[in-house]
Amino acid sequence: MTGVTIKAKDRDVIVQALQAGVVPRTGLAHVQVGRVVEVSALVQDVDRIVDGGSAVRFIIGEYGAGKTFFLNLVRSIALEKRCVTMHADLGPERRIFASAGQARSLYQEAVRNLATRAKPEGGALQSIVERFISECMKEATPEKGVETIVEQRLAGLQDMLGGYDYATVLKAYWRGSQEENETLKANAIRWLRGEYARKTEARADLGVRTIIEDSTVYDSIKLLSGFVRIAGYAGLVVMFDEMVNIYKLQNVEARTKNYEQLLRITNDLLQGHVEGLGFLFGGTPEFLMDSRRGVYSYAALQGRLQENPFAKPGMIDVAGPVIRLQSLTTEDLYLLLEKIRAIFALGKADEYLVPDEALIAFMQHCSQQVGEAYFRTPRNTIRRFVQLLSVLQQNPGQDWRQLLGDIKVEKDQEELSITDADGGEDDDELASITL
């Protein structure tokens, strides 16, 4: 990590997030370690989406194993490859399928988080619409007005459910721009966000007969993926995390309906029925494998997602839809601690708060206190190390050995098989932290 310059603003964001046990919104490159094979597989998925294909992945890991960070890392890769991304967490009021507004609520949250490379923090829907309208204006001629161009460019969507009204809404946005009618523009964006609850209201405001509702959420996402490609982007990558909330549903019928929708999505994407669209689902092993309430309780989905029987424990197989996040190695964790230490020092080696000896001692401390779990779900371990550095930073002169309980570092412990970040190739590899 020596020689790497880190801005104070990025450091503060990263440290604050790690201390809270959540994923940093920025600066992911500063905390990437391990899982090169898994990330490479997802990079190939994104490339396939960019080429007009489709992909679906179930990212499976224990609580704290790094699912959210992994999804965010893939999200940043997709943005760099000119894709549009959207993401949301499932919860009691957000589901893949519902009949009381929960599915529409999931769609609304995902669209609020719609992001492009120019607007990575979300809220990109209106800028995408503006880009599309601008391109239509450039293409328009006295013989072919903007509304005609809009219809022509969206002709491929009109055979899809809701496709005709999509064109109607975008033409309404164009008229609002020409007439400086901000209400009309806002109504158009409101429809695209799925915020209309009644068809009569949407028809009065925009002249459309349909709205985005629970039963059409997946079809609306497919429409959106087609639209962003027409608007000049490479594709759409959708990420739904906390899928364990489907597993937690008490009502059997509700769980079954959600699994049926998952099956529909999985079949569409695996069979290549959709172009330029990818889905990533983040969940726990229980969500996937529980034969009574999990995905495997639905026989058709189990058949699609059952893992390779030849991939024995400890072996990696990323060819199928399911990717299990592997535990960190000793080298991965050591490199991660190095990176966190460098972040605190803004990349300046002469300002490190602890020496290399302290990193090994801290790992030994965690091994004794937590055991093997600190490799599998190291979120608390990372939090503890950040807290240690925070105390040392705020209390100059404090001995790190005392804070660790005077742990003695054995001679053989110093000789762990560790590749130094400055001397090896790990720093250059695309990888991910586990949080």
Side-chain angles (χ1 to χ4, degrees):
M1 287 292 292
T2 56
V4 178
T5 302
I6 302 173
K7 297 179 181 179
K9 179 182 178 181
D10 288 342
R11 177 195 61 187
D12 294 343
V13 170
I14 295 170
V15 169
Q16 184 177 16
L18 296 183
Q19 196 160 26
V22 298
V23 176
R25 296 284 292 182
T26 60
L28 299 186
H30 296 304
V31 283
Q32 294 175 0
V33 298
R35 293 180 177 159
V36 178
V37 175
E38 293 91 335
V39 175
S40 296
L42 268 296
V43 171
Q44 292 177 6
D45 286 353
V46 174
D47 288 338
R48 185 161 59 253
I49 293 165
V50 170
D51 290 338
S54 57
V56 60
R57 293 283 189 172
F58 289 75
I59 310 303
I60 303 299
E62 302 281 358
Y63 289 107
K67 297 183 296 296
T68 301
F69 188 94
F70 189 85
L71 291 173
N72 275 317
L73 183 61
V74 176
R75 175 174 168 270
S76 67
I77 293 168
L79 291 176
E80 285 301 313
K81 292 180 178 287
R82 295 181 51 255
C83 287
V84 176
T85 68
M86 58 193 294
H87 66 275
D89 291 349
L90 271 70
E93 299 303 319
R94 295 179 194 147
R95 303 178 194 168
I96 299 290
F97 180 89
S99 57
Q102 296 96 333
R104 191 164 64 92
S105 178
L106 179 68
Y107 179 85
Q108 291 169 353
E109 177 65 14
V111 172
R112 276 193 289 270
N113 293 326
L114 200 70
T116 62
R117 186 164 56 179
K119 299 197 70 172
E121 298 300 315
L125 178 61
Q126 187 157 359
S127 64
I128 294 171
V129 172
E130 291 279 0
R131 174 174 173 168
F132 171 76
I133 294 297
S134 296
E135 291 299 316
C136 291
M137 291 173 64
K138 291 177 185 178
E139 194 176 329
T141 64
E143 293 76 25
K144 286 186 178 180
V146 173
E147 292 194 22
T148 301
I149 299 299
V150 169
E151 287 183 354
Q152 290 178 346
R153 296 190 70 178
L154 297 180
L157 302 183
Q158 294 191 18
D159 291 336
M160 302 170 65
L161 184 63
Y164 180 81
D165 283 341
Y166 226 83
T168 301
V169 168
L170 289 168
K171 286 188 291 185
Y173 187 92
W174 151 251
R175 290 196 302 274
S177 299
Q178 287 297 101
E179 300 165 5
E180 297 185 354
N181 186 338
E182 294 300 321
T183 299
L184 185 56
K185 289 171 62 178
N187 287 340
I189 295 297
R190 183 183 168 199
W191 188 92
L192 293 169
R193 287 176 178 161
E195 294 175 356
Y196 274 98
R198 292 185 295 275
K199 294 178 182 179
T200 52
E201 185 182 2
R203 186 174 184 179
D205 290 345
L206 298 165
V208 295
R209 294 179 178 274
T210 64
I211 60 174
I212 297 170
E213 48 194 344
D214 282 335
S215 61
T216 62
V217 161
Y218 174 51
D219 295 292
S220 300
I221 291 175
K222 290 196 291 184
L223 270 174
L224 182 59
S225 73
F227 171 63
V228 299
R229 294 182 74 220
I230 293 169
Y233 296 91
L236 178 66
V237 179
V238 183
M239 302 179 184
F240 289 150
D241 203 357
E242 304 297 342
M243 295 293 290
V244 71
N245 282 286
I246 295 179
Y247 165 81
K248 291 179 179 178
L249 289 174
Q250 297 297 319
N251 186 283
V252 176
E253 184 179 358
R255 285 201 310 272
T256 301
K257 290 292 186 182
N258 275 268
Y259 290 145
E260 285 176 353
Q261 188 74 312
L262 274 179
L263 177 64
R264 181 189 173 199
I265 295 170
T266 301
N267 283 342
D268 269 5
L269 300 182
L270 289 180
Q271 295 171 1
H273 291 165
V274 188
E275 295 182 354
L277 177 62
F279 270 82
L280 280 77
F281 301 105
T284 62
E286 296 82 15
F287 156 71
L288 179 71
M289 299 186 68
D290 190 293
S291 59
R292 189 171 63 89
R293 298 176 58 174
V295 169
Y296 281 9
S297 68
Y298 195 77
L301 262 180
Q302 182 180 8
R304 305 296 189 280
L305 304 181
Q306 201 155 31
E307 296 165 89
N308 189 339
F310 295 101
K312 298 179 181 179
M315 300 176 69
I316 296 176
D317 176 31
V318 294
V322 175
I323 289 186
R324 286 184 177 272
L325 296 184
Q326 302 295 317
S327 301
L328 286 183
T329 64
T330 303
E331 293 82 2
D332 291 335
L333 190 56
Y334 182 87
L335 179 59
L336 176 54
L337 297 183
E338 276 194 322
K339 291 192 170 192
I340 295 174
R341 177 181 65 175
I343 288 168
F344 267 82
L346 295 175
K348 301 173 184 176
D350 57 346
E351 295 184 14
Y352 285 169
L353 294 169
V354 293
D356 292 349
E357 176 191 7
L359 306 185
I360 298 175
F362 180 81
M363 291 173 66
Q364 184 186 41
H365 170 76
C366 291
S367 182
Q368 292 174 350
Q369 296 291 322
V370 182
E372 185 269 342
Y374 91 109
F375 285 111
R376 288 189 292 107
T377 55
R379 174 164 52 194
N380 289 335
T381 302
I382 295 167
R383 289 181 64 187
R384 191 177 300 179
F385 185 65
V386 171
Q387 291 165 353
L388 170 66
L389 295 184
S390 294
V391 170
L392 292 172
Q393 187 179 57
Q394 297 172 66
N395 298 272
Q398 179 66 48
D399 190 347
W400 61 266
R401 294 176 184 82
Q402 292 182 354
L403 295 177
L404 284 181
D406 296 321
I407 284 183
K408 303 292 184 182
V409 182
E410 302 295 336
K411 180 68 174 177
D412 61 347
Q413 193 72 14
E414 295 176 354
E415 296 174 355
L416 285 170
S417 175
I418 293 171
T419 301
D420 188 278
D422 299 326
E425 298 179 353
D426 291 332
D427 244 5
D428 297 325
E429 291 178 336
L430 185 62
S432 70
I433 186 179
T434 51
L435 279 180

